[in-house]
Amino acid sequence: MRRTVLSTTSRHLHRRPRPTTMRIFSTQKEQQQAEAGRDKSILLDPKAPLHPLLNTPSTSDPSHIRQYSLPYVQIGRDDYRPSLPENQRIVAFGDVHGDLPALHKFLLAARVMDPDSSIESPKWTGGSTILVQTGDILDRGAKELACFRALCTLAHQAEEVGGKVYILYGNHESLNAAGLFQYADQDGNVEFETTFGSKLDENFGSNRWRLQFGGNEPARWAACEPGGLLAHGSNSMMENMMVSCLLGRTVFVHGGLRSEHLESGNPQDSDSNGTSSSYNGISAMNSLARDWIMQQHHGDNNNWGDYKTVEEVINSAQHRARTASKSMPDCLGGGIGASSPVWMRDYSQPNDAPPKNRAAKEMIERTLKSVGSDVQRIVMGHTPQHQINSALGGRAWRIDVGASQGVMGGTPEVLEIIHGGENGEDTLSVLTVDGKTIDGKERAVVDNVLF
């Protein structure tokens, strides 16, 4: 009987890896470097995680796992900060969707990046500024990983001088984590392959690790899934992303919040160290998201690709996707039309106009009250606007301007908030790529008119 050959990629699938060099090296030094980047325990254990194979000798290598780390976020403290220093500067921008030039413009408009530095090697100039990116780095663009690397680099630099860079989950991060790649750009898939896929092939000594993903963008899936390359341990990038955060009088989230999202708790008084004595609703969601993304839900890996039939490959990949989706917390789950924090559009749709949901005003007032007594606004991305604007009496700030060429190629703008800047009140402005500062009051939407 003819033997079935399993192939889930266009590339030949090699035999099981062996803990020896599987290519010819031009120099002894090159061989030593390759051996140093290969964890032999991974080669011998078909169930092991793959991320140690990316601890290459050069930490500047785009595939090195350290390129995708964020300063540790202490849930219950860093994500819930109702008290900020007077004149604390906060800047926020929305969806990036793999567009590296757009990210560059956002950062320059925010005045947190040295204009003489490159987006590939950015330099933080924001001092103590807090930068919030409200999710959706992934999908629709060709440079998703490059965008993540730039923000992670700036986050560590900001941390050293008293600043912060926070990245929130968007619905597209949730989709990718669940193995759903229908919005991925083909060039973006190539970026994952050239950055992670080929490096795993080389350091593993085989590409049979790909079989367990059933031909569904194995490098992207291995990177984005719970317990994957980008959620590999302490200080990993996805461990320290958040669903939402409160800074002063402003809540940041990708899609929006409802009071029912916060039913798991409300803010409590802080102790003498400034640490919340009890999780509030926001921190509860962030904790659930962290617990989920850091666990491998499908069981053991099958890095050697020991499958007897094509059906086994398909069933294994489907199980991998199903278990991730079923275990996903509600705060990250949903779909088009859903009311979760990463999917809802009650405050942002239609674009550049008051929300069509007649209950939106009552909803957002109730939500703000649930977050805290002095919380005044929610800042959100998700729904592309032609320019940053506010609705519902300044309670809803919509900052996704569709800047990615994969969306609508909008002009990047940044929301700036100076906490307690004038008579104890917050000052809100819109920062443009040509260096202008626009009074936030000029961007209020009332009765379908943008003032």
Side-chain angles (χ1 to χ4, degrees):
M1 184 174 68
R2 195 174 192 178
R3 185 180 177 185
T4 301
V5 178
L6 302 179
S7 178
T8 61
T9 71
S10 60
R11 305 171 63 178
H12 175 66
L13 292 169
H14 301 117
R15 62 186 180 276
R16 282 186 185 179
R18 298 176 180 175
T20 58
T21 304
M22 296 187 67
R23 50 170 288 204
I24 303 300
F25 296 96
S26 59
T27 66
Q28 183 179 7
K29 180 179 179 181
E30 185 181 355
Q31 179 171 340
Q32 290 172 344
Q33 288 177 338
E35 289 294 332
R38 182 183 299 174
D39 187 327
K40 292 181 175 57
S41 67
I42 304 301
L43 299 177
L44 297 172
D45 184 357
K47 301 176 182 180
L50 292 168
H51 64 80
L53 291 170
L54 297 181
N55 288 322
T56 54
S58 174
T59 57
S60 62
D61 187 328
S63 68
H64 197 290
I65 212 66
R66 289 189 192 174
Q67 295 280 330
Y68 308 92
S69 69
L70 288 170
Y72 187 74
V73 170
Q74 183 169 329
I75 294 176
R77 185 189 69 182
D78 295 334
D79 59 345
Y80 193 84
R81 299 176 60 186
S83 298
L84 294 175
E86 186 176 340
N87 293 312
Q88 171 67 57
R89 183 174 187 257
I90 307 166
V91 291
F93 57 85
D95 304 30
V96 174
H97 284 302
D99 192 319
L100 193 62
L103 175 61
H104 192 187
K105 292 177 182 178
F106 276 127
L107 294 168
L108 293 177
R111 304 165 194 170
V112 295
M113 175 183 162
D114 184 349
D116 293 328
S117 66
S118 68
I119 189 62
E120 291 79 14
S121 298
K123 302 298 182 186
W124 177 263
T125 57
S128 61
T129 297
I130 302 173
L131 165 64
V132 182
Q133 195 283 320
T134 57
D136 275 8
I137 300 291
L138 291 175
D139 288 338
R140 305 191 189 278
K143 295 293 183 180
E144 299 150 278
L145 291 175
C147 290
F148 275 136
R149 287 197 301 273
L151 288 170
C152 288
T153 296
L154 290 171
H156 288 288
Q157 294 175 5
E159 187 85 359
E160 293 176 358
V161 295
K164 293 285 186 181
V165 175
Y166 294 137
I167 304 176
L168 304 187
Y169 281 102
N171 58 307
H172 286 267
E173 281 73 43
S174 293
L175 288 168
N176 277 258
L180 301 172
F181 310 131
Q182 62 266 40
Y183 297 104
D185 182 89
Q186 184 54 42
D187 288 337
N189 291 332
V190 171
E191 184 194 28
F192 274 89
E193 274 296 325
T194 57
T195 304
F196 293 143
S198 60
K199 186 64 67 172
L200 288 173
D201 289 345
E202 178 182 356
N203 286 347
F204 191 49
S206 168
N207 55 14
R208 289 191 67 87
W209 64 269
R210 296 170 177 272
L211 273 171
Q212 61 195 311
F213 299 99
N216 184 21
E217 302 301 339
R220 179 183 286 271
W221 200 345
C224 297
E225 70 175 345
L229 302 177
L230 300 178
H232 58 83
S234 180
N235 292 109
S236 66
M237 186 183 74
M238 298 187 84
E239 175 190 24
N240 293 293
M241 292 169 60
M242 297 181 283
V243 178
S244 180
C245 63
L246 171 70
L247 300 173
R249 302 179 179 100
T250 307
V251 182
F252 298 86
V253 67
H254 181 65
L257 285 178
R258 295 183 173 190
S259 58
E260 49 263 40
H261 296 150
L262 309 171
E263 288 178 353
S264 55
N266 286 304
Q268 305 293 321
D269 293 332
S270 297
D271 61 22
S272 58
N273 295 319
T275 302
S276 177
S277 60
S278 175
Y279 276 162
N280 57 77
I282 287 174
S283 293
M285 291 190 293
N286 290 332
S287 183
L288 288 169
R290 173 176 286 180
D291 289 346
W292 178 76
I293 200 65
M294 296 302 290
Q295 295 182 38
Q296 188 172 283
H297 301 283
H298 59 269
D300 295 326
N301 279 340
N302 189 342
N303 298 329
W304 289 355
D306 284 340
Y307 301 102
K308 296 180 180 179
T309 66
V310 172
E311 286 72 24
E312 283 188 13
V313 173
I314 295 172
N315 290 338
S316 175
Q318 288 178 340
H319 171 74
R320 199 180 199 103
R322 249 191 328 265
T323 52
S325 294
K326 286 185 177 180
S327 59
M328 181 182 286
D330 291 340
C331 59
L332 292 177
I336 295 175
S339 61
S340 78
V342 299
W343 281 98
M344 67 176 283
R345 301 184 191 270
D346 296 85
Y347 310 134
S348 59
Q349 198 174 52
N351 60 344
D352 307 302
K356 65 181 179 181
N357 185 338
R358 295 182 179 181
K361 184 175 182 293
E362 180 183 351
M363 284 171 52
I364 200 167
E365 288 176 346
R366 189 166 59 247
T367 300
L368 293 173
K369 185 177 180 181
S370 297
V371 178
S373 59
D374 195 31
V375 180
Q376 298 178 0
R377 64 192 71 87
I378 300 176
V379 173
M380 66 207 72
H382 191 39
T383 304
Q385 317 285 317
H386 286 95
Q387 56 185 13
I388 289 178
N389 62 76
S390 69
L392 304 174
R395 297 176 183 88
W397 279 87
R398 294 92 67 89
I399 66 170
D400 176 14
V401 292
S404 172
Q405 293 300 317
V407 181
M408 64 184 195
T411 302
E413 292 186 331
V414 173
L415 179 66
E416 178 187 60
I417 303 171
I418 306 299
H419 176 74
E422 185 175 343
N423 299 321
E425 296 297 320
D426 295 348
T427 301
L428 282 77
S429 305
V430 175
L431 308 180
T432 68
V433 291
D434 57 0
K436 294 180 181 177
T437 300
I438 300 172
D439 190 328
K441 295 175 183 176
E442 298 181 21
R443 292 296 185 84
V445 174
V446 181
D447 295 331
N448 297 324
V449 178
L450 184 62
F451 291 97

